[in-house]
Amino acid sequence: MQDYIRQRVLDISRYIIKEGTTVRSTANIFGVSKSTVHKDVTERLPKINEELFLEVKKILENNKAERHIRGGEATRKKYKQNNVS
C-alpha cells in the first residue's frame, strides 16, 4: 500500500471517530468518493490498525441504523418548505 493511501485511511478513520460523521459527509470533507471512504475503512483499515477499525465500525453501524431517521427528517423539511410558499 502506498504511503499516501495509508495516511489517508488513518486521517479519514480518525476524523470519523472524532466527529461521528457519515461516509458521505466524510467523502465531501476529504474530496474523495463515498466508495473510496468505504473501501478505506472497511478493507484497508483492518490491515493497518485493527483497534481503530473496530471504533470506526461501531460509528458506521450506528449511522446505518439511524439513516432512516435522517432520511425521514430530510423529507419532512423538504415538504414543509414546499408547503409554506
Side-chain angles (χ1 to χ4, degrees), residues 15-38:
Y15 182 78
I16 290 173
I17 291 168
K18 181 181 175 195
E19 302 294 331
T21 58
T22 63
V23 169
R24 182 180 299 238
S25 63
T26 303
N28 288 334
I29 295 293
F30 283 86
V32 295
S33 70
K34 294 182 301 182
S35 300
T36 299
V37 172
H38 190 266

Side-chain angles (χ1 to χ4, degrees), residues 36-52:
T36 299
V37 172
H38 190 266
K39 183 169 184 156
D40 282 353
V41 297
T42 60
E43 293 179 25
R44 295 180 177 130
L45 183 58
K47 296 174 185 173
I48 297 172
N49 186 328
E50 182 72 25
E51 215 174 284
L52 203 57

Side-chain angles (χ1 to χ4, degrees), residues 43 53 76 78:
E43 293 179 25
F53 166 70
R76 184 176 332 152
K78 176 183 172 184

